[in-house]
Amino acid sequence: MMRFDPFREIEELSQRVDRAFGQAAQAPARFAPPVDVHEDEQGLELSLDLPGIQPENISVDAENQTLSVQAERKYIRAEGRTAHRVERVYGTYSRTFSVPAKYDLSKVDANFDNGTLTIKVPRSEAAQKRSISVKSATTLNVEGKTDTENHNA
């Protein structure tokens, strides 16, 4: 038994009307791909789903603490071929992220594998965690000798 989904029925009706009046070839749609953002000591990692997109159709830009991703998946309509159902997403995928200054946008690394774009943004050198040695008056003296020992030597 199939459940009635009024939203699917409305969407299918809308697609039929669009096809009937040729509006499917309007300006391409814009979509925000889903993204996961994780942070660790090394920096940020963003993973975006871009199914069916070729790597050469992906653009990653970094400028003024803003990271932008754009990709395009074109619908190719062959002559003499009738589309009875077009449910996959076609058009422009676009996301923009504001990146805090503690990350270095000049060292962004992007990798595309199996429909997932992974972007790594490292922490800037100034924002890296580092251990600072604590000095005291006794550690400033040569080899742990006291001031009187240093003067007598």
Side-chain angles (χ1 to χ4, degrees):
M1 181 166 112
M2 288 184 59
R3 291 180 61 187
F4 175 69
D5 182 358
F7 297 106
R8 179 175 290 282
E9 297 297 321
I10 291 169
E11 187 175 327
E12 287 180 8
L13 178 61
S14 175
Q15 288 175 357
R16 287 182 193 156
V17 169
D18 286 347
R19 281 195 303 269
F21 293 103
Q23 294 178 354
Q26 281 183 345
R30 296 185 77 79
F31 304 98
V35 64
D36 293 339
V37 180
H38 295 98
E39 179 181 25
D40 61 16
E41 303 82 40
Q42 283 74 43
L44 290 175
E45 181 177 283
L46 297 87
S47 299
L48 293 90
D49 286 344
L50 299 172
I53 294 180
Q54 299 301 315
E56 59 270 11
N57 293 333
I58 300 172
S59 161
V60 178
D61 298 310
E63 180 180 22
N64 296 331
Q65 296 313 122
T66 301
L67 185 67
S68 301
V69 177
Q70 270 204 316
E72 187 173 8
R73 182 176 181 191
K74 296 179 182 180
Y75 177 70
I76 300 170
R77 190 173 173 182
E79 280 297 314
R81 189 172 175 183
T82 303
H84 292 281
R85 187 176 295 260
V86 178
E87 294 182 353
R88 298 187 308 160
V89 177
Y90 296 94
T92 302
Y93 291 79
S94 180
R95 285 298 290 258
T96 301
F97 306 93
S98 293
V99 180
K102 67 180 180 179
Y103 298 102
D104 191 349
L105 287 178
S106 68
K107 296 180 180 173
V108 173
D109 180 49
N111 183 30
F112 186 67
D113 189 36
N114 292 325
T116 300
L117 175 65
T118 303
I119 301 170
K120 294 185 179 183
V121 184
R123 287 187 186 267
S124 67
E125 290 295 323
Q128 291 288 334
K129 181 178 177 181
R130 56 182 67 87
S131 293
I132 309 298
S133 62
V134 178
K135 298 177 182 143
S136 69
T138 56
T139 54
L140 292 177
N141 294 320
V142 181
E143 299 178 18
K145 295 180 183 178
T146 63
D147 282 336
T148 54
E149 290 177 277
N150 284 336
H151 291 291
N152 294 336

